[in-house]
Amino acid sequence: LKDQLLAVNGGKRADFVLETSGSTQYVEDCLDYVEKMGVFSMVAFYDRPLNNFNLDDMIFAKITLRGASGSQQYMPMALDLLNRGKIHLMPLLTQEVDFADVRTVMDAYRACAAQRIKMLVRIGGENVGDTL
């Protein structure tokens, strides 16, 4: 991922990294993606404490660490980015299910919880498809 980031960003790391997976391993890796004086924001919930997060790397690079939970104040900005096609959420989803199938699917979800999959539940039967 770091090589791809550098290739598409002119050899520069990202000014802003948003970690949404809930994987502590990804959090530990994310400092490699943040440019000096950049911002690293974490918005997921994590199932265990970090063990290998190097605070000195963050401090020497003057990286701002920001924790955030869902907030309505970000909704207009997120919707604007979605509408303009600046962000695409479908790659984050591993599964789409109808509301009627939730009970059946939840058993499978619990069995794969370690993979931290993202599931979209359709209410009303509409397919989200390319709208995300």
Side-chain angles (χ1 to χ4, degrees):
L1 181 61
K2 182 180 175 184
D3 292 339
Q4 291 175 337
L5 170 66
L6 295 174
V8 299
N9 206 26
K12 185 179 171 195
R13 297 176 188 198
D15 292 322
F16 179 79
V17 171
L18 179 65
E19 204 298 305
T20 63
S21 73
S23 165
T24 54
Q25 181 60 53
Y26 288 152
V27 170
E28 293 165 6
D29 294 341
C30 275
L31 286 182
D32 284 339
Y33 311 140
V34 184
E35 185 64 44
K36 289 182 179 181
M37 298 186 72
V39 175
F40 175 37
S41 188
M42 300 165 53
V43 298
F45 297 100
Y46 301 91
D47 62 349
R48 60 182 173 268
L50 292 170
N51 292 322
N52 298 312
F53 191 75
N54 191 330
L55 291 173
D56 287 338
D57 288 346
M58 188 184 77
I59 292 166
F60 290 131
K62 298 176 183 77
I63 293 171
T64 299
L65 177 63
R66 183 178 298 152
S69 62
S71 175
Q72 291 182 355
Q73 74 187 39
Y74 298 114
M75 191 62 68
M77 180 176 62
L79 291 173
D80 178 59
L81 291 170
L82 280 168
N83 286 332
R84 291 188 294 133
K86 297 294 184 182
I87 56 174
H88 304 281
L89 300 179
M90 289 307 288
L92 299 176
L93 299 177
T94 57
Q95 189 172 11
E96 267 186 75
V97 298
D98 288 318
F99 184 72
D101 298 326
V102 167
R103 285 185 188 237
T104 305
V105 173
M106 287 307 293
D107 290 335
Y109 175 79
R110 285 185 197 101
C112 298
Q115 296 173 1
R116 310 303 272 169
I117 61 176
K118 305 290 184 198
M119 181 189 312
L120 177 89
V121 177
R122 283 189 305 268
I123 298 176
E126 293 184 25
N127 191 343
V128 174
D130 294 329
T131 61
L132 296 179

